[in-house]
Amino acid sequence: MQKEQIIDFSITLLLLIGIYGAGGLVLKELESGDGCPKIWSIPACLIILICLIIPALSHILKKWSKLYFIFTSIAVIIALVASILQLTGNGECPKTDNSIPMCYLSFLIFATLIGLKLYQLKIKK
């Protein structure tokens, strides 16, 4: 498998994992109203889901790299702020079954997505 194919597959896999995780939180939010914290009364998990779906479409269609970076950057900033609030005890992120704050995982996924896409674009040149 070529390096570019591995990167392409990795990006797709991370996007799918993220969509699955955020989608689950959105469903919980719709059912109970307490699936995730709110940003200006909008569930953060819904914002994150949108910030995954648009980059996924961009990646699959191999178009609109700027949109990919805009939405992954918005999400990485949200995840960074949420992680800092979690670390300082000033906020509470939803947790996995293993008690890992999902904002940490979200930050890791989005930072990795940005890095992989930058590297992919670099090797294409």
Side-chain angles (χ1 to χ4, degrees):
M1 206 178 217
Q2 290 180 342
K3 191 185 308 186
E4 190 174 334
Q5 289 173 320
I6 292 170
I7 293 169
D8 192 68
F9 176 78
S10 299
I11 291 170
T12 303
L13 184 62
L14 282 174
L15 287 165
L16 290 174
I17 289 168
I19 289 169
Y20 176 78
L25 284 176
V26 169
L27 288 175
K28 183 178 178 184
E29 178 67 29
L30 291 173
E31 290 171 358
S32 66
D34 66 350
C36 53
K38 312 287 186 285
I39 300 174
W40 299 300
S41 76
I42 301 169
C45 51
L46 179 59
I47 297 168
I48 295 299
L49 182 61
I50 292 166
C51 288
L52 285 158
I53 291 172
I54 291 172
L57 291 172
S58 167
H59 180 68
I60 290 166
L61 297 173
K62 303 201 182 316
K63 295 180 174 183
W64 313 309
S65 290
K66 286 182 184 177
L67 277 180
Y68 179 98
F69 287 113
I70 288 169
F71 283 89
T72 53
S73 295
I74 289 168
V76 84
I77 291 167
I78 292 170
L80 176 62
V81 170
S83 295
I84 291 169
L85 291 172
Q86 175 74 34
L87 284 169
T88 60
N90 294 316
E92 190 70 26
C93 298
K95 294 184 175 55
T96 65
D97 292 339
N98 297 329
S99 297
I100 299 168
M102 288 186 184
C103 51
Y104 298 169
L105 299 176
S106 185
F107 177 77
L108 182 62
I109 287 170
F110 282 106
T112 303
L113 284 169
I114 290 168
L116 285 171
K117 183 59 89 172
L118 286 171
Y119 186 66
Q120 182 183 46
L121 292 173
K122 180 183 173 185
I123 62 174
K124 272 188 175 181
K125 289 184 177 181

PDB file of all heavy atoms in Angstrom, residues 19-59:
ATOM      1  N   ILE A  19     -17.487  10.365  13.542  1.00  0.00           N
ATOM      2  CA  ILE A  19     -18.914  10.472  13.227  1.00  0.00           C
ATOM      3  C   ILE A  19     -19.724   9.489  14.069  1.00  0.00           C
ATOM      4  O   ILE A  19     -20.782   9.835  14.599  1.00  0.00           O
ATOM      5  CB  ILE A  19     -19.163  10.270  11.717  1.00  0.00           C
ATOM      6  CG1 ILE A  19     -18.630  11.477  10.927  1.00  0.00           C
ATOM      7  CG2 ILE A  19     -20.642  10.026  11.418  1.00  0.00           C
ATOM      8  CD1 ILE A  19     -18.571  11.283   9.422  1.00  0.00           C
ATOM      9  N   TYR A  20     -19.207   8.292  14.238  1.00  0.00           N
ATOM     10  CA  TYR A  20     -19.875   7.291  15.069  1.00  0.00           C
ATOM     11  C   TYR A  20     -19.993   7.786  16.516  1.00  0.00           C
ATOM     12  O   TYR A  20     -21.067   7.729  17.124  1.00  0.00           O
ATOM     13  CB  TYR A  20     -19.119   5.962  15.005  1.00  0.00           C
ATOM     14  CG  TYR A  20     -19.678   4.904  15.913  1.00  0.00           C
ATOM     15  CD1 TYR A  20     -20.822   4.198  15.563  1.00  0.00           C
ATOM     16  CD2 TYR A  20     -19.071   4.613  17.139  1.00  0.00           C
ATOM     17  CE1 TYR A  20     -21.353   3.221  16.395  1.00  0.00           C
ATOM     18  CE2 TYR A  20     -19.595   3.641  17.972  1.00  0.00           C
ATOM     19  CZ  TYR A  20     -20.726   2.951  17.599  1.00  0.00           C
ATOM     20  OH  TYR A  20     -21.250   2.000  18.439  1.00  0.00           O
ATOM     21  N   GLY A  21     -18.900   8.283  17.066  1.00  0.00           N
ATOM     22  CA  GLY A  21     -18.899   8.753  18.454  1.00  0.00           C
ATOM     23  C   GLY A  21     -19.775   9.978  18.652  1.00  0.00           C
ATOM     24  O   GLY A  21     -20.600  10.027  19.581  1.00  0.00           O
ATOM     25  N   ALA A  22     -19.601  10.976  17.808  1.00  0.00           N
ATOM     26  CA  ALA A  22     -20.401  12.196  17.932  1.00  0.00           C
ATOM     27  C   ALA A  22     -21.872  11.911  17.634  1.00  0.00           C
ATOM     28  O   ALA A  22     -22.766  12.474  18.278  1.00  0.00           O
ATOM     29  CB  ALA A  22     -19.865  13.277  16.996  1.00  0.00           C
ATOM     30  N   GLY A  23     -22.122  11.042  16.671  1.00  0.00           N
ATOM     31  CA  GLY A  23     -23.495  10.676  16.343  1.00  0.00           C
ATOM     32  C   GLY A  23     -24.212  10.034  17.524  1.00  0.00           C
ATOM     33  O   GLY A  23     -25.378  10.319  17.781  1.00  0.00           O
ATOM     34  N   GLY A  24     -23.490   9.187  18.247  1.00  0.00           N
ATOM     35  CA  GLY A  24     -24.060   8.566  19.448  1.00  0.00           C
ATOM     36  C   GLY A  24     -24.420   9.600  20.506  1.00  0.00           C
ATOM     37  O   GLY A  24     -25.477   9.514  21.147  1.00  0.00           O
ATOM     38  N   LEU A  25     -23.560  10.594  20.672  1.00  0.00           N
ATOM     39  CA  LEU A  25     -23.847  11.659  21.635  1.00  0.00           C
ATOM     40  C   LEU A  25     -25.038  12.504  21.191  1.00  0.00           C
ATOM     41  O   LEU A  25     -25.860  12.916  22.011  1.00  0.00           O
ATOM     42  CB  LEU A  25     -22.627  12.557  21.826  1.00  0.00           C
ATOM     43  CG  LEU A  25     -21.498  12.000  22.681  1.00  0.00           C
ATOM     44  CD1 LEU A  25     -20.318  12.961  22.687  1.00  0.00           C
ATOM     45  CD2 LEU A  25     -21.974  11.734  24.097  1.00  0.00           C
ATOM     46  N   VAL A  26     -25.130  12.774  19.891  1.00  0.00           N
ATOM     47  CA  VAL A  26     -26.258  13.550  19.375  1.00  0.00           C
ATOM     48  C   VAL A  26     -27.564  12.786  19.611  1.00  0.00           C
ATOM     49  O   VAL A  26     -28.571  13.369  20.040  1.00  0.00           O
ATOM     50  CB  VAL A  26     -26.072  13.901  17.876  1.00  0.00           C
ATOM     51  CG1 VAL A  26     -27.358  14.458  17.279  1.00  0.00           C
ATOM     52  CG2 VAL A  26     -24.930  14.886  17.698  1.00  0.00           C
ATOM     53  N   LEU A  27     -27.561  11.484  19.375  1.00  0.00           N
ATOM     54  CA  LEU A  27     -28.767  10.680  19.632  1.00  0.00           C
ATOM     55  C   LEU A  27     -29.149  10.721  21.105  1.00  0.00           C
ATOM     56  O   LEU A  27     -30.327  10.876  21.449  1.00  0.00           O
ATOM     57  CB  LEU A  27     -28.559   9.231  19.183  1.00  0.00           C
ATOM     58  CG  LEU A  27     -28.522   8.999  17.673  1.00  0.00           C
ATOM     59  CD1 LEU A  27     -28.200   7.543  17.359  1.00  0.00           C
ATOM     60  CD2 LEU A  27     -29.839   9.411  17.037  1.00  0.00           C
ATOM     61  N   LYS A  28     -28.151  10.607  21.975  1.00  0.00           N
ATOM     62  CA  LYS A  28     -28.414  10.693  23.419  1.00  0.00           C
ATOM     63  C   LYS A  28     -28.968  12.069  23.775  1.00  0.00           C
ATOM     64  O   LYS A  28     -29.887  12.184  24.580  1.00  0.00           O
ATOM     65  CB  LYS A  28     -27.133  10.410  24.204  1.00  0.00           C
ATOM     66  CG  LYS A  28     -27.329  10.397  25.690  1.00  0.00           C
ATOM     67  CD  LYS A  28     -26.046  10.054  26.422  1.00  0.00           C
ATOM     68  CE  LYS A  28     -26.278  10.113  27.929  1.00  0.00           C
ATOM     69  NZ  LYS A  28     -25.042   9.889  28.665  1.00  0.00           N
ATOM     70  N   GLU A  29     -28.414  13.092  23.164  1.00  0.00           N
ATOM     71  CA  GLU A  29     -28.887  14.467  23.394  1.00  0.00           C
ATOM     72  C   GLU A  29     -30.346  14.607  22.953  1.00  0.00           C
ATOM     73  O   GLU A  29     -31.155  15.220  23.652  1.00  0.00           O
ATOM     74  CB  GLU A  29     -28.005  15.458  22.639  1.00  0.00           C
ATOM     75  CG  GLU A  29     -28.413  16.896  22.762  1.00  0.00           C
ATOM     76  CD  GLU A  29     -28.263  17.478  24.158  1.00  0.00           C
ATOM     77  OE1 GLU A  29     -27.391  17.029  24.924  1.00  0.00           O
ATOM     78  OE2 GLU A  29     -29.041  18.389  24.490  1.00  0.00           O
ATOM     79  N   LEU A  30     -30.682  14.052  21.807  1.00  0.00           N
ATOM     80  CA  LEU A  30     -32.056  14.137  21.307  1.00  0.00           C
ATOM     81  C   LEU A  30     -33.033  13.377  22.210  1.00  0.00           C
ATOM     82  O   LEU A  30     -34.172  13.800  22.396  1.00  0.00           O
ATOM     83  CB  LEU A  30     -32.146  13.607  19.878  1.00  0.00           C
ATOM     84  CG  LEU A  30     -31.458  14.460  18.804  1.00  0.00           C
ATOM     85  CD1 LEU A  30     -31.465  13.731  17.466  1.00  0.00           C
ATOM     86  CD2 LEU A  30     -32.125  15.820  18.685  1.00  0.00           C
ATOM     87  N   GLU A  31     -32.576  12.258  22.772  1.00  0.00           N
ATOM     88  CA  GLU A  31     -33.433  11.446  23.629  1.00  0.00           C
ATOM     89  C   GLU A  31     -33.633  12.052  25.012  1.00  0.00           C
ATOM     90  O   GLU A  31     -34.729  12.075  25.541  1.00  0.00           O
ATOM     91  CB  GLU A  31     -32.844  10.039  23.788  1.00  0.00           C
ATOM     92  CG  GLU A  31     -32.911   9.215  22.524  1.00  0.00           C
ATOM     93  CD  GLU A  31     -32.122   7.913  22.629  1.00  0.00           C
ATOM     94  OE1 GLU A  31     -31.480   7.669  23.680  1.00  0.00           O
ATOM     95  OE2 GLU A  31     -32.148   7.149  21.658  1.00  0.00           O
ATOM     96  N   SER A  32     -32.530  12.534  25.605  1.00  0.00           N
ATOM     97  CA  SER A  32     -32.601  12.947  27.009  1.00  0.00           C
ATOM     98  C   SER A  32     -32.349  14.429  27.252  1.00  0.00           C
ATOM     99  O   SER A  32     -32.687  14.945  28.308  1.00  0.00           O
ATOM    100  CB  SER A  32     -31.581  12.146  27.822  1.00  0.00           C
ATOM    101  OG  SER A  32     -30.259  12.491  27.416  1.00  0.00           O
ATOM    102  N   GLY A  33     -31.724  15.092  26.299  1.00  0.00           N
ATOM    103  CA  GLY A  33     -31.412  16.507  26.497  1.00  0.00           C
ATOM    104  C   GLY A  33     -30.168  16.768  27.310  1.00  0.00           C
ATOM    105  O   GLY A  33     -29.825  17.913  27.588  1.00  0.00           O
ATOM    106  N   ASP A  34     -29.477  15.697  27.703  1.00  0.00           N
ATOM    107  CA  ASP A  34     -28.253  15.903  28.496  1.00  0.00           C
ATOM    108  C   ASP A  34     -27.084  15.059  27.986  1.00  0.00           C
ATOM    109  O   ASP A  34     -26.276  14.581  28.752  1.00  0.00           O
ATOM    110  CB  ASP A  34     -28.505  15.641  29.978  1.00  0.00           C
ATOM    111  CG  ASP A  34     -28.828  14.179  30.274  1.00  0.00           C
ATOM    112  OD1 ASP A  34     -29.047  13.412  29.325  1.00  0.00           O
ATOM    113  OD2 ASP A  34     -28.858  13.813  31.461  1.00  0.00           O
ATOM    114  N   GLY A  35     -26.990  14.910  26.685  1.00  0.00           N
ATOM    115  CA  GLY A  35     -25.918  14.105  26.102  1.00  0.00           C
ATOM    116  C   GLY A  35     -24.590  14.830  26.032  1.00  0.00           C
ATOM    117  O   GLY A  35     -23.539  14.204  26.079  1.00  0.00           O
ATOM    118  N   CYS A  36     -24.648  16.169  25.927  1.00  0.00           N
ATOM    119  CA  CYS A  36     -23.394  16.919  25.814  1.00  0.00           C
ATOM    120  C   CYS A  36     -23.612  18.365  26.231  1.00  0.00           C
ATOM    121  O   CYS A  36     -24.746  18.850  26.261  1.00  0.00           O
ATOM    122  CB  CYS A  36     -22.847  16.829  24.388  1.00  0.00           C
ATOM    123  SG  CYS A  36     -24.011  17.292  23.103  1.00  0.00           S
ATOM    124  N   PRO A  37     -22.514  19.050  26.556  1.00  0.00           N
ATOM    125  CA  PRO A  37     -22.607  20.465  26.952  1.00  0.00           C
ATOM    126  C   PRO A  37     -23.111  21.331  25.800  1.00  0.00           C
ATOM    127  O   PRO A  37     -23.064  20.929  24.639  1.00  0.00           O
ATOM    128  CB  PRO A  37     -21.166  20.838  27.312  1.00  0.00           C
ATOM    129  CG  PRO A  37     -20.379  19.589  27.318  1.00  0.00           C
ATOM    130  CD  PRO A  37     -21.161  18.541  26.596  1.00  0.00           C
ATOM    131  N   LYS A  38     -23.575  22.509  26.136  1.00  0.00           N
ATOM    132  CA  LYS A  38     -24.123  23.426  25.131  1.00  0.00           C
ATOM    133  C   LYS A  38     -23.167  24.597  24.898  1.00  0.00           C
ATOM    134  O   LYS A  38     -22.473  25.042  25.793  1.00  0.00           O
ATOM    135  CB  LYS A  38     -25.467  24.003  25.587  1.00  0.00           C
ATOM    136  CG  LYS A  38     -26.478  22.998  26.119  1.00  0.00           C
ATOM    137  CD  LYS A  38     -27.079  22.158  25.044  1.00  0.00           C
ATOM    138  CE  LYS A  38     -28.184  21.258  25.521  1.00  0.00           C
ATOM    139  NZ  LYS A  38     -27.802  20.099  26.274  1.00  0.00           N
ATOM    140  N   ILE A  39     -23.147  25.075  23.655  1.00  0.00           N
ATOM    141  CA  ILE A  39     -22.441  26.302  23.289  1.00  0.00           C
ATOM    142  C   ILE A  39     -23.531  27.218  22.736  1.00  0.00           C
ATOM    143  O   ILE A  39     -24.078  26.949  21.668  1.00  0.00           O
ATOM    144  CB  ILE A  39     -21.346  26.043  22.237  1.00  0.00           C
ATOM    145  CG1 ILE A  39     -20.310  25.058  22.774  1.00  0.00           C
ATOM    146  CG2 ILE A  39     -20.697  27.355  21.804  1.00  0.00           C
ATOM    147  CD1 ILE A  39     -19.270  24.628  21.757  1.00  0.00           C
ATOM    148  N   TRP A  40     -23.869  28.280  23.462  1.00  0.00           N
ATOM    149  CA  TRP A  40     -24.959  29.183  23.074  1.00  0.00           C
ATOM    150  C   TRP A  40     -26.240  28.398  22.808  1.00  0.00           C
ATOM    151  O   TRP A  40     -26.900  28.584  21.795  1.00  0.00           O
ATOM    152  CB  TRP A  40     -24.587  30.043  21.885  1.00  0.00           C
ATOM    153  CG  TRP A  40     -23.425  30.942  22.120  1.00  0.00           C
ATOM    154  CD1 TRP A  40     -23.328  31.912  23.071  1.00  0.00           C
ATOM    155  CD2 TRP A  40     -22.204  30.952  21.415  1.00  0.00           C
ATOM    156  NE1 TRP A  40     -22.098  32.519  22.996  1.00  0.00           N
ATOM    157  CE2 TRP A  40     -21.385  31.947  21.974  1.00  0.00           C
ATOM    158  CE3 TRP A  40     -21.699  30.217  20.350  1.00  0.00           C
ATOM    159  CZ2 TRP A  40     -20.119  32.221  21.522  1.00  0.00           C
ATOM    160  CZ3 TRP A  40     -20.438  30.482  19.909  1.00  0.00           C
ATOM    161  CH2 TRP A  40     -19.671  31.475  20.488  1.00  0.00           C
ATOM    162  N   SER A  41     -26.569  27.499  23.672  1.00  0.00           N
ATOM    163  CA  SER A  41     -27.761  26.642  23.630  1.00  0.00           C
ATOM    164  C   SER A  41     -27.755  25.599  22.506  1.00  0.00           C
ATOM    165  O   SER A  41     -28.727  24.894  22.303  1.00  0.00           O
ATOM    166  CB  SER A  41     -29.049  27.466  23.595  1.00  0.00           C
ATOM    167  OG  SER A  41     -29.268  28.022  22.332  1.00  0.00           O
ATOM    168  N   ILE A  42     -26.643  25.492  21.769  1.00  0.00           N
ATOM    169  CA  ILE A  42     -26.503  24.466  20.731  1.00  0.00           C
ATOM    170  C   ILE A  42     -25.653  23.331  21.314  1.00  0.00           C
ATOM    171  O   ILE A  42     -24.568  23.585  21.839  1.00  0.00           O
ATOM    172  CB  ILE A  42     -25.819  25.025  19.470  1.00  0.00           C
ATOM    173  CG1 ILE A  42     -26.619  26.199  18.903  1.00  0.00           C
ATOM    174  CG2 ILE A  42     -25.649  23.930  18.419  1.00  0.00           C
ATOM    175  CD1 ILE A  42     -25.890  26.969  17.826  1.00  0.00           C
ATOM    176  N   PRO A  43     -26.116  22.094  21.246  1.00  0.00           N
ATOM    177  CA  PRO A  43     -25.316  20.981  21.771  1.00  0.00           C
ATOM    178  C   PRO A  43     -23.947  20.906  21.068  1.00  0.00           C
ATOM    179  O   PRO A  43     -23.865  20.900  19.840  1.00  0.00           O
ATOM    180  CB  PRO A  43     -26.153  19.743  21.453  1.00  0.00           C
ATOM    181  CG  PRO A  43     -27.541  20.261  21.282  1.00  0.00           C
ATOM    182  CD  PRO A  43     -27.400  21.642  20.715  1.00  0.00           C
ATOM    183  N   ALA A  44     -22.894  20.887  21.877  1.00  0.00           N
ATOM    184  CA  ALA A  44     -21.534  20.851  21.329  1.00  0.00           C
ATOM    185  C   ALA A  44     -21.326  19.612  20.457  1.00  0.00           C
ATOM    186  O   ALA A  44     -20.630  19.681  19.438  1.00  0.00           O
ATOM    187  CB  ALA A  44     -20.505  20.892  22.452  1.00  0.00           C
ATOM    188  N   CYS A  45     -21.949  18.501  20.825  1.00  0.00           N
ATOM    189  CA  CYS A  45     -21.778  17.279  20.040  1.00  0.00           C
ATOM    190  C   CYS A  45     -22.359  17.437  18.634  1.00  0.00           C
ATOM    191  O   CYS A  45     -21.840  16.862  17.679  1.00  0.00           O
ATOM    192  CB  CYS A  45     -22.373  16.072  20.752  1.00  0.00           C
ATOM    193  SG  CYS A  45     -24.078  16.288  21.310  1.00  0.00           S
ATOM    194  N   LEU A  46     -23.402  18.236  18.495  1.00  0.00           N
ATOM    195  CA  LEU A  46     -23.970  18.490  17.172  1.00  0.00           C
ATOM    196  C   LEU A  46     -22.998  19.325  16.330  1.00  0.00           C
ATOM    197  O   LEU A  46     -22.792  19.049  15.149  1.00  0.00           O
ATOM    198  CB  LEU A  46     -25.324  19.201  17.294  1.00  0.00           C
ATOM    199  CG  LEU A  46     -26.028  19.543  15.992  1.00  0.00           C
ATOM    200  CD1 LEU A  46     -26.301  18.284  15.170  1.00  0.00           C
ATOM    201  CD2 LEU A  46     -27.324  20.282  16.272  1.00  0.00           C
ATOM    202  N   ILE A  47     -22.387  20.315  16.955  1.00  0.00           N
ATOM    203  CA  ILE A  47     -21.386  21.126  16.253  1.00  0.00           C
ATOM    204  C   ILE A  47     -20.221  20.243  15.806  1.00  0.00           C
ATOM    205  O   ILE A  47     -19.760  20.327  14.668  1.00  0.00           O
ATOM    206  CB  ILE A  47     -20.891  22.283  17.145  1.00  0.00           C
ATOM    207  CG1 ILE A  47     -22.040  23.240  17.467  1.00  0.00           C
ATOM    208  CG2 ILE A  47     -19.733  23.033  16.472  1.00  0.00           C
ATOM    209  CD1 ILE A  47     -21.727  24.247  18.562  1.00  0.00           C
ATOM    210  N   ILE A  48     -19.765  19.379  16.702  1.00  0.00           N
ATOM    211  CA  ILE A  48     -18.653  18.482  16.384  1.00  0.00           C
ATOM    212  C   ILE A  48     -19.051  17.522  15.265  1.00  0.00           C
ATOM    213  O   ILE A  48     -18.258  17.250  14.360  1.00  0.00           O
ATOM    214  CB  ILE A  48     -18.188  17.716  17.649  1.00  0.00           C
ATOM    215  CG1 ILE A  48     -17.609  18.683  18.692  1.00  0.00           C
ATOM    216  CG2 ILE A  48     -17.181  16.627  17.296  1.00  0.00           C
ATOM    217  CD1 ILE A  48     -16.396  19.478  18.246  1.00  0.00           C
ATOM    218  N   LEU A  49     -20.277  17.011  15.303  1.00  0.00           N
ATOM    219  CA  LEU A  49     -20.738  16.110  14.238  1.00  0.00           C
ATOM    220  C   LEU A  49     -20.706  16.815  12.884  1.00  0.00           C
ATOM    221  O   LEU A  49     -20.232  16.248  11.896  1.00  0.00           O
ATOM    222  CB  LEU A  49     -22.149  15.585  14.543  1.00  0.00           C
ATOM    223  CG  LEU A  49     -22.732  14.603  13.536  1.00  0.00           C
ATOM    224  CD1 LEU A  49     -21.876  13.343  13.430  1.00  0.00           C
ATOM    225  CD2 LEU A  49     -24.168  14.241  13.928  1.00  0.00           C
ATOM    226  N   ILE A  50     -21.177  18.046  12.844  1.00  0.00           N
ATOM    227  CA  ILE A  50     -21.126  18.825  11.601  1.00  0.00           C
ATOM    228  C   ILE A  50     -19.680  19.039  11.176  1.00  0.00           C
ATOM    229  O   ILE A  50     -19.355  18.957   9.985  1.00  0.00           O
ATOM    230  CB  ILE A  50     -21.870  20.166  11.770  1.00  0.00           C
ATOM    231  CG1 ILE A  50     -23.376  19.906  11.919  1.00  0.00           C
ATOM    232  CG2 ILE A  50     -21.593  21.111  10.601  1.00  0.00           C
ATOM    233  CD1 ILE A  50     -24.173  21.085  12.424  1.00  0.00           C
ATOM    234  N   CYS A  51     -18.813  19.281  12.167  1.00  0.00           N
ATOM    235  CA  CYS A  51     -17.382  19.482  11.883  1.00  0.00           C
ATOM    236  C   CYS A  51     -16.681  18.194  11.468  1.00  0.00           C
ATOM    237  O   CYS A  51     -15.504  18.208  11.115  1.00  0.00           O
ATOM    238  CB  CYS A  51     -16.683  20.103  13.094  1.00  0.00           C
ATOM    239  SG  CYS A  51     -17.105  21.834  13.379  1.00  0.00           S
ATOM    240  N   LEU A  52     -17.368  17.088  11.514  1.00  0.00           N
ATOM    241  CA  LEU A  52     -16.856  15.822  10.989  1.00  0.00           C
ATOM    242  C   LEU A  52     -17.474  15.497   9.630  1.00  0.00           C
ATOM    243  O   LEU A  52     -16.787  15.013   8.732  1.00  0.00           O
ATOM    244  CB  LEU A  52     -17.153  14.676  11.962  1.00  0.00           C
ATOM    245  CG  LEU A  52     -16.287  14.631  13.208  1.00  0.00           C
ATOM    246  CD1 LEU A  52     -16.975  13.856  14.315  1.00  0.00           C
ATOM    247  CD2 LEU A  52     -14.925  14.049  12.894  1.00  0.00           C
ATOM    248  N   ILE A  53     -18.755  15.763   9.486  1.00  0.00           N
ATOM    249  CA  ILE A  53     -19.447  15.406   8.242  1.00  0.00           C
ATOM    250  C   ILE A  53     -18.929  16.231   7.061  1.00  0.00           C
ATOM    251  O   ILE A  53     -18.663  15.679   5.984  1.00  0.00           O
ATOM    252  CB  ILE A  53     -20.976  15.559   8.404  1.00  0.00           C
ATOM    253  CG1 ILE A  53     -21.497  14.475   9.354  1.00  0.00           C
ATOM    254  CG2 ILE A  53     -21.680  15.478   7.062  1.00  0.00           C
ATOM    255  CD1 ILE A  53     -22.951  14.623   9.750  1.00  0.00           C
ATOM    256  N   ILE A  54     -18.760  17.534   7.257  1.00  0.00           N
ATOM    257  CA  ILE A  54     -18.289  18.375   6.146  1.00  0.00           C
ATOM    258  C   ILE A  54     -16.865  17.991   5.722  1.00  0.00           C
ATOM    259  O   ILE A  54     -16.617  17.806   4.530  1.00  0.00           O
ATOM    260  CB  ILE A  54     -18.436  19.871   6.486  1.00  0.00           C
ATOM    261  CG1 ILE A  54     -19.935  20.201   6.531  1.00  0.00           C
ATOM    262  CG2 ILE A  54     -17.711  20.752   5.464  1.00  0.00           C
ATOM    263  CD1 ILE A  54     -20.277  21.567   7.026  1.00  0.00           C
ATOM    264  N   PRO A  55     -15.920  17.813   6.652  1.00  0.00           N
ATOM    265  CA  PRO A  55     -14.605  17.331   6.224  1.00  0.00           C
ATOM    266  C   PRO A  55     -14.661  15.941   5.582  1.00  0.00           C
ATOM    267  O   PRO A  55     -13.896  15.654   4.660  1.00  0.00           O
ATOM    268  CB  PRO A  55     -13.784  17.313   7.507  1.00  0.00           C
ATOM    269  CG  PRO A  55     -14.394  18.372   8.341  1.00  0.00           C
ATOM    270  CD  PRO A  55     -15.878  18.261   8.045  1.00  0.00           C
ATOM    271  N   ALA A  56     -15.574  15.089   6.044  1.00  0.00           N
ATOM    272  CA  ALA A  56     -15.703  13.754   5.439  1.00  0.00           C
ATOM    273  C   ALA A  56     -16.134  13.877   3.982  1.00  0.00           C
ATOM    274  O   ALA A  56     -15.573  13.212   3.100  1.00  0.00           O
ATOM    275  CB  ALA A  56     -16.697  12.901   6.221  1.00  0.00           C
ATOM    276  N   LEU A  57     -17.111  14.725   3.729  1.00  0.00           N
ATOM    277  CA  LEU A  57     -17.540  14.949   2.342  1.00  0.00           C
ATOM    278  C   LEU A  57     -16.400  15.534   1.509  1.00  0.00           C
ATOM    279  O   LEU A  57     -16.172  15.103   0.377  1.00  0.00           O
ATOM    280  CB  LEU A  57     -18.752  15.874   2.305  1.00  0.00           C
ATOM    281  CG  LEU A  57     -20.055  15.299   2.845  1.00  0.00           C
ATOM    282  CD1 LEU A  57     -21.136  16.377   2.936  1.00  0.00           C
ATOM    283  CD2 LEU A  57     -20.517  14.127   2.008  1.00  0.00           C
ATOM    284  N   SER A  58     -15.703  16.491   2.069  1.00  0.00           N
ATOM    285  CA  SER A  58     -14.562  17.100   1.378  1.00  0.00           C
ATOM    286  C   SER A  58     -13.503  16.049   1.051  1.00  0.00           C
ATOM    287  O   SER A  58     -12.967  16.005  -0.060  1.00  0.00           O
ATOM    288  CB  SER A  58     -13.961  18.200   2.257  1.00  0.00           C
ATOM    289  OG  SER A  58     -12.713  18.602   1.771  1.00  0.00           O
ATOM    290  N   HIS A  59     -13.230  15.204   2.016  1.00  0.00           N
ATOM    291  CA  HIS A  59     -12.197  14.175   1.847  1.00  0.00           C
ATOM    292  C   HIS A  59     -12.621  13.136   0.809  1.00  0.00           C
ATOM    293  O   HIS A  59     -11.834  12.767  -0.067  1.00  0.00           O
ATOM    294  CB  HIS A  59     -11.906  13.510   3.193  1.00  0.00           C
ATOM    295  CG  HIS A  59     -10.876  12.444   3.114  1.00  0.00           C
ATOM    296  ND1 HIS A  59      -9.546  12.705   2.849  1.00  0.00           N
ATOM    297  CD2 HIS A  59     -10.977  11.102   3.244  1.00  0.00           C
ATOM    298  CE1 HIS A  59      -8.882  11.570   2.829  1.00  0.00           C
ATOM    299  NE2 HIS A  59      -9.723  10.579   3.055  1.00  0.00           N
TER     300      HIS A  59
END
